[in-house]
Amino acid sequence: MNYPEGLADKIGFSHVQSDIKAACLSQMGVEFAEKMRFSNRFPLVKQWVNQVHEMKQLMAERGGEWPQVDYYDLRPWLAPLTLEGNYLSADQWRDWQRGLDVLYQCIRFFHLLDAETYPELHQLTRQYSQKIVEISDQDYMQLLPVLQELGRVFDANGQIKENASSELGEIRRKKNAEEQGLRKKLDSLLNQAQQQGWISKDFSLTLRNGRMVIPLAAEHKRKIKGFVQDESDTGKTVFLEPADALTANNEIKSLESAEKREIIQILSRLSDRVRPMVPMLTQWLQWLGLIDFIRAKAMWAQEHRAILPHLQEKPSLDWRNARHPLLEKSLEKIGKKIKPLSIHLDEKKRLMVVSGPNAGGKSVTLSTVGLLQYLYQSGCLVPIEEGSSMGFFQQIFLDMGDEQNLENELSTYSSHLSNMRYFLQHANAKTLVLVDEFGTGTEPSLGGAIAEAILEKLADKGCYGAINTHFGNLKSLADRKEGLFNAAMRYDTAHLEPLFILDMGKPGSSFAFEIAQKIGLPTGIIENARKKLGKKQVDFDKLLLETETEKQIWQSKNNSLSLQNEQVDAIKQQYEQLKNHLQEEQKNIINKAKAEAKQLVKEANQRIEQTIREIKEKAAGKEETKVLREKLDDFAQKSLIEAPVKPKPASNPIVKLISGPIAVGDWVAIQDGGSEPTVGQVLEIKGKDALLALGSISSTIKLKRLQKVQAPKTEKIKTAPLKGIDINDRMAQFSLTLDLRGKRGEEVWVTLDQYINDVLLLGAPEVRILHGKGDGILRSLVREQLKRYAQIKQVQDEHADRGGAGISVVTMK
């Protein structure tokens, strides 16, 4: 059993629960969200989180293939519907028609899910099928005839069609005929009254008490024989039913009554049709609420980048870059990023004693551990990094904040001791214990001694968890007691600022003197305090400060060395590539030269042989032989002439390369192989990428392609031309599905035009436009606009099982 009773509120779980409730589409889903509770049954928790993980995956891959609107709660009508003679009104059936249609589509979609890819969601749907007694596994198919019957009875506006029954059609035809005949008769009397001046020309026929009448000035009411059905508020106008219209009005009223009776018969038959299905509908509506709830948890997981880690049934924690979801969202609103925590608890190191300065993040660490473990054991995914694992605990004990109880006359310290008494009585090896500011609230030496004794006992019980403290004796205990270990919140000793980073395996200083010095406390008072504290404690804090400072210095050097090693590896790789390229080029040039030489030798031999043959055939003399030799020499000079080699252009003297890591504000050259380097200034560094200012534009370039250079002193350095479009950014934000549901016509034109331009730019072969079915207006707008693009090969509806006419599949040429 968790402790205290308001644990969920203290760690912030109630805020997460509210977010999940807001993401639900129906009251049925909200009711499941309100029942979210911490569970100590591992198989159940494992099933919950796997369901959410599969739903998150399903939404990412096939999010538009099942309805996610109009989850009507039909349960209030189920009980009255079971009573014989009760029936639903036409307005109620309008909601039922849409609600049953959505229910049928959802059941069918999840019923046909691949059992290997989505085993938990598939099994969940199968389980609800099996709950329904004496109904086959395909029970939901009984909804289809009902939906067809509703479509036959009601039109798109929810009105009962004239052909809902043959009797209703005949009644309405007779009623229309009587109304048209009566209207003609009354129009004639109305025209006569207007010609006689008994009525204004802007008056027209109207209804009073369900009967068709003509308005008439009160002083002329006796000039037409009939019955006054009503009069105006001023009494100047009466609404007269002529005697000639009495029979027709009576007939119309009679037909209206017959129409109502027939409609009741139609609605009763529909209710009779659904009444045997009430038990099945009760189960499937509960299933729909559960699907809605799981979907809401998956949406929360998507928003907070929560994942399904490796699950272990035993108590443990192995978290990488865990993030407090509520704190992360709060920081994002003010433009800041959260510092994630990496925590490891196992059988040998179970209880973590966290020390460090005030406002350094110790309480956030405790809150993060408590909230994430509570979220997981309530069936939610958790915002941590892939490769992490979640252990399992039977209970969570928390002691955080000021718990004064004026009613019971308990001070803060007494309240903490009461909590510790409960911990010592009920904690075991499967308990996660979280204590903030352990031992505070009383005289430090006494409080520290009691806290040490309690901590030893908790360690002997085998508890897991984290304890925040400033007491040095607890830090010392953590170094020598089995099951305990130290951890510290990192502190920037150069700038005297907390870094909100958790370091495992070492104690931390409270940096009280350093913080006091930073806020301007007089130096004399600080020095006097050091003397009063005693040399042993001062030396201990001094050692912690020096250790932290040296660690930060060496960490900075290691980071610099790692960056230099990465640059060396990149240069080495480029050198190897260039060397291989030059060797291949050398081979190609030599082979080409050999081939050309062979060809020249062949042609030369042919020329020599031809010359010798001519000398022999012509028995040439000295002069003729000389002419033939001159021709041979002329061939040699023209064919074997050396090609001039262009001198290699001198490198740009303006750009001077320098060594060292690249930082924001540095000038760098892009290694693009050109004769002139492209130079820009670093605006931001994002991991292995850098955002550069290149003239009047910015571009993202890999760091390994950049070389640090001296800042330019002239304007001769080449800058990149305007590109206009960041392809990397477009590709990162591009999706193969465009959702246009809920947009107005003018929004559709602009959004769809921009999207098709991106499709053509990025070369996507096929995309999907999600517009929904509805009345087909949005679908028509989309289809009309797509006709304008000659690059589109075809536009067709998606497969019926994956959205049908609600999705347009666009194939590019």
Side-chain angles (χ1 to χ4, degrees):
M1 180 177 177
N2 294 329
Y3 182 87
E5 189 173 334
L7 173 66
D9 293 330
K10 281 182 171 291
I11 60 178
F13 174 76
S14 55
H15 294 286
V16 176
Q17 189 176 22
S18 296
D19 291 341
I20 293 174
K21 286 166 60 178
C24 291
L25 298 171
S26 67
Q27 179 61 29
M28 300 174 292
V30 170
E31 290 174 6
F32 276 104
E34 290 174 343
K35 297 176 184 177
M36 287 180 68
R37 295 293 184 271
F38 178 94
S39 174
N40 54 15
R41 296 168 55 194
F42 181 76
L44 184 60
V45 171
K46 184 178 180 181
Q47 182 185 52
W48 286 347
V49 294
N50 279 321
Q51 287 172 353
V52 181
H53 173 68
E54 290 178 13
M55 181 65 77
K56 179 186 173 188
Q57 179 183 351
L58 183 64
M59 292 174 66
E61 296 174 356
R62 304 171 61 181
E65 296 185 24
W66 83 92
Q68 295 179 51
V69 293
D70 296 341
Y71 283 21
Y72 288 107
D73 186 3
L74 305 177
R75 295 173 301 172
W77 292 292
L78 293 180
L81 198 59
T82 57
L83 301 176
E84 289 292 335
N86 274 8
Y87 62 90
L88 299 178
S89 67
D91 290 338
Q92 291 171 339
W93 276 115
R94 184 160 46 242
D95 291 343
W96 269 71
Q97 184 175 16
R98 179 57 181 158
L100 290 178
D101 182 50
V102 168
L103 178 62
Y104 171 76
Q105 292 183 50
C106 287
I107 298 173
R108 187 172 185 275
F109 175 83
F110 283 94
H111 213 281
L112 298 176
L113 275 182
D114 181 16
E116 294 183 1
T117 308
Y118 308 102
E120 291 295 340
L121 294 177
H122 182 269
Q123 181 62 23
L124 176 67
T125 308
R126 292 286 182 181
Q127 287 174 351
Y128 270 84
S129 290
Q130 295 166 4
K131 287 181 182 180
I132 303 170
V133 183
E134 297 180 357
I135 296 182
S136 68
D137 188 48
Q138 299 291 329
D139 51 40
Y140 70 93
M141 294 300 293
Q142 297 186 35
L143 294 173
L144 189 56
V146 175
L147 291 171
Q148 292 171 345
E149 180 69 12
L150 290 173
R152 188 186 66 80
V153 172
F154 297 97
D155 60 19
N157 297 319
Q159 302 298 319
I160 297 179
K161 294 180 180 179
E162 186 171 315
N163 59 354
S165 71
S166 57
E167 292 82 359
L168 181 63
E170 181 63 26
I171 291 171
R172 286 185 173 177
R173 282 191 292 273
K174 289 181 179 179
K175 178 184 171 185
N176 290 336
E178 289 290 340
E179 286 177 345
Q180 289 176 3
L182 177 59
R183 183 175 294 276
K184 289 180 180 179
K185 187 178 295 184
L186 292 181
D187 280 339
S188 176
L189 290 173
L190 188 65
N191 291 333
Q192 178 185 350
Q194 288 174 345
Q195 291 173 2
Q196 296 294 331
W198 302 339
I199 189 174
S200 174
K201 291 187 177 181
D202 56 352
F203 280 16
S204 61
L205 298 179
T206 186
L207 287 174
R208 285 293 185 274
N209 300 323
R211 306 175 77 86
M212 200 172 295
V213 296
I214 59 175
L216 197 67
E219 61 269 23
H220 301 299
K221 62 182 180 181
R222 289 186 173 81
K223 295 183 178 178
I224 298 179
K225 188 177 181 181
F227 308 93
V228 175
Q229 292 291 345
D230 198 2
E231 63 181 20
S232 66
D233 294 338
T234 61
K236 294 181 179 180
T237 304
V238 297
F239 298 94
L240 185 73
E241 178 186 8
D244 294 343
L246 179 62
T247 303
N249 268 326
N250 288 340
E251 181 63 21
I252 291 173
K253 292 290 288 183
S254 176
L255 290 171
E256 286 177 350
S257 299
E259 181 183 19
K260 289 179 181 179
R261 289 193 298 271
E262 181 59 27
I263 288 176
I264 290 175
Q265 290 294 322
I266 294 171
L267 296 178
S268 297
R269 286 195 293 270
L270 281 175
S271 299
D272 292 341
R273 181 75 177 272
V274 175
R275 185 171 292 110
M277 302 169 63
V278 167
M280 180 190 75
L281 290 175
T282 302
Q283 291 293 334
W284 280 125
L285 287 172
Q286 185 182 25
W287 170 88
L288 184 63
L290 185 54
I291 289 294
D292 184 18
F293 170 55
I294 297 172
R295 171 192 165 277
K297 289 195 289 186
M299 290 188 65
W300 184 90
Q302 287 179 332
E303 182 182 358
H304 293 273
R305 293 177 289 122
I307 66 162
L308 174 67
H310 177 66
L311 307 181
Q312 293 185 330
E313 192 169 359
K314 63 180 183 180
S316 66
L317 287 184
D318 187 11
W319 297 355
R320 304 177 187 177
N321 292 330
R323 309 181 313 279
H324 193 295
L326 304 179
L327 178 60
E328 184 176 29
K329 286 299 177 184
S330 298
L331 291 175
E332 285 180 357
K333 292 178 181 178
I334 58 176
K336 294 183 178 181
K337 291 185 178 180
I338 195 171
K339 297 292 182 65
L341 301 172
S342 294
I343 303 173
H344 180 80
L345 303 180
D346 56 26
E347 294 180 355
K348 295 182 179 180
K349 294 184 176 182
R350 302 185 302 274
L351 272 171
M352 177 173 62
V353 178
V354 185
S355 51
N358 286 322
K362 299 191 300 298
S363 297
V364 171
T365 299
L366 250 65
S367 182
T368 302
V369 173
L371 177 58
L372 266 57
Q373 190 66 36
Y374 198 101
L375 279 173
Y376 157 60
Q377 293 193 223
S378 298
C380 296
L381 304 185
V382 286
I384 55 179
E385 194 175 85
E386 295 286 353
S388 302
S389 65
M390 297 289 298
F392 198 79
F393 297 91
Q394 291 297 316
Q395 52 194 359
I396 299 177
F397 290 172
L398 175 72
D399 179 39
M400 179 183 290
D402 188 351
E403 293 292 338
Q404 292 190 49
N405 191 322
L406 299 179
E407 183 178 341
N408 295 325
E409 297 182 354
L410 290 179
S411 67
T412 299
Y413 185 64
S414 298
S415 175
H416 287 316
L417 287 182
S418 297
N419 292 339
M420 292 304 103
R421 181 183 62 186
Y422 184 90
F423 288 12
L424 293 173
Q425 290 175 347
H426 299 92
N428 55 41
K430 295 182 179 181
T431 302
L432 181 66
V433 175
L434 304 171
V435 183
D436 194 22
E437 300 297 342
F438 196 33
T440 59
T442 188
E443 200 277 324
S445 59
L446 299 178
I450 294 176
E452 183 174 347
I454 294 173
L455 185 56
E456 283 183 330
K457 187 63 176 177
L458 291 175
D460 292 338
K461 282 179 168 287
C463 299
Y464 288 72
I467 308 293
N468 289 349
T469 187
H470 290 286
F471 289 151
N473 63 319
L474 299 186
K475 303 175 192 177
S476 300
L477 177 65
D479 278 336
R480 65 178 188 272
K481 178 69 176 176
E482 183 181 355
L484 302 178
F485 70 99
N486 275 302
M489 301 308 300
R490 193 179 300 177
Y491 195 73
D492 186 349
T493 57
H495 301 90
L496 297 180
E497 294 177 349
L499 298 175
F500 305 105
I501 298 174
L502 180 66
D503 278 340
M504 311 281 286
K506 67 161 193 176
S509 171
S510 298
F511 298 99
F513 292 132
E514 289 73 23
I515 295 174
Q517 186 176 358
K518 179 184 178 183
I519 66 175
L521 204 64
T523 305
I525 293 180
I526 296 175
E527 291 302 322
N528 191 23
R530 290 182 189 273
K531 294 177 182 178
K532 292 180 179 296
L533 182 62
K535 188 175 186 302
K536 183 178 179 181
Q537 183 63 39
V538 171
D539 289 344
F540 179 71
D541 282 348
K542 182 179 179 182
L543 179 61
L544 288 176
L545 176 62
E546 291 174 352
T547 303
E548 181 66 24
T549 303
E550 289 180 1
K551 178 180 178 181
Q552 292 178 14
I553 292 174
W554 284 110
Q555 188 171 14
S556 177
K557 290 183 178 180
N558 285 337
N559 292 339
S560 177
L561 184 59
S562 298
L563 182 59
Q564 291 178 9
N565 288 337
E566 290 179 3
Q567 292 176 345
V568 169
D569 291 340
I571 294 173
K572 180 180 178 182
Q573 185 179 3
Q574 292 175 358
Y575 168 76
E576 293 293 338
Q577 293 176 350
L578 181 60
K579 179 183 176 182
N580 294 335
H581 176 72
L582 290 176
Q583 288 176 347
E584 292 298 322
E585 286 295 314
Q586 184 182 26
K587 291 178 183 178
N588 292 334
I589 292 172
I590 292 174
N591 291 336
K592 184 177 180 181
K594 287 180 179 179
E596 292 177 352
K598 287 180 181 179
Q599 183 64 26
L600 287 173
V601 170
K602 182 178 179 181
E603 292 182 8
N605 287 335
Q606 291 175 352
R607 290 274 185 173
I608 293 171
E609 290 175 0
Q610 182 180 358
T611 302
I612 295 173
R613 186 168 57 251
E614 289 180 357
I615 292 174
K616 289 181 178 180
E617 290 176 354
K618 297 180 180 179
K622 186 176 181 179
E623 292 296 327
E624 293 173 336
T625 301
K626 182 179 180 181
V627 172
L628 293 173
R629 287 183 177 278
E630 288 176 352
K631 290 182 179 180
L632 190 59
D633 291 339
D634 184 56
F635 164 75
Q637 291 177 359
K638 291 181 178 181
S639 300
L640 303 178
I641 188 170
E642 295 183 3
V645 180
K646 293 183 179 180
K648 183 178 179 181
S651 60
N652 194 334
I654 299 173
V655 178
K656 184 177 180 180
L657 303 180
I658 59 177
S659 61
I662 298 173
V664 175
D666 289 345
W667 286 83
V668 293
I670 302 175
Q671 301 173 4
D672 54 6
S675 59
E676 296 183 17
T678 302
V679 176
Q681 190 174 20
V682 179
L683 299 178
E684 185 180 355
I685 294 179
K686 306 174 181 177
K688 296 184 179 180
D689 299 331
L691 180 65
L692 301 186
L694 302 171
S696 58
I697 66 169
S698 60
S699 180
T700 301
I701 307 293
K702 292 289 184 183
L703 277 171
K704 64 182 181 181
R705 292 185 55 200
L706 305 178
Q707 177 64 50
K708 191 174 180 180
V709 300
Q710 283 188 348
K713 297 181 180 180
T714 68
E715 298 180 356
K716 296 181 180 180
I717 292 180
K718 170 191 170 186
T719 58
L722 287 173
K723 297 181 181 178
I725 298 175
D726 190 343
I727 297 296
N728 293 331
D729 184 65
R730 288 292 179 90
M731 292 181 68
Q733 298 183 13
F734 183 76
S735 171
L736 293 175
T737 301
L738 175 63
D739 190 349
L740 295 176
R741 292 176 297 179
K743 294 186 179 296
R744 298 189 300 272
E746 58 270 24
E747 292 177 307
V748 171
W749 285 99
V750 175
T751 304
L752 185 57
D753 187 65
Q754 293 175 349
Y755 182 74
I756 296 299
N757 288 338
D758 286 346
V759 172
L760 297 174
L761 177 66
L762 300 176
E766 186 177 273
V767 295
R768 285 166 172 75
I769 312 298
L770 179 58
H771 43 65
K773 298 178 182 178
D775 297 329
I777 299 175
L778 188 57
R779 177 179 181 273
S780 300
L781 281 174
V782 170
R783 293 294 178 92
E784 282 296 321
Q785 186 171 357
L786 291 176
K787 291 179 181 179
R788 299 169 45 235
Y789 298 94
Q791 299 87 342
I792 293 178
K793 181 179 180 181
Q794 67 176 4
V795 180
Q796 58 185 359
D797 289 342
E798 179 61 278
H799 190 276
D801 291 341
R802 296 189 293 273
I807 302 175
S808 291
V809 180
V810 182
T811 305
M812 312 305 292
K813 292 182 179 178

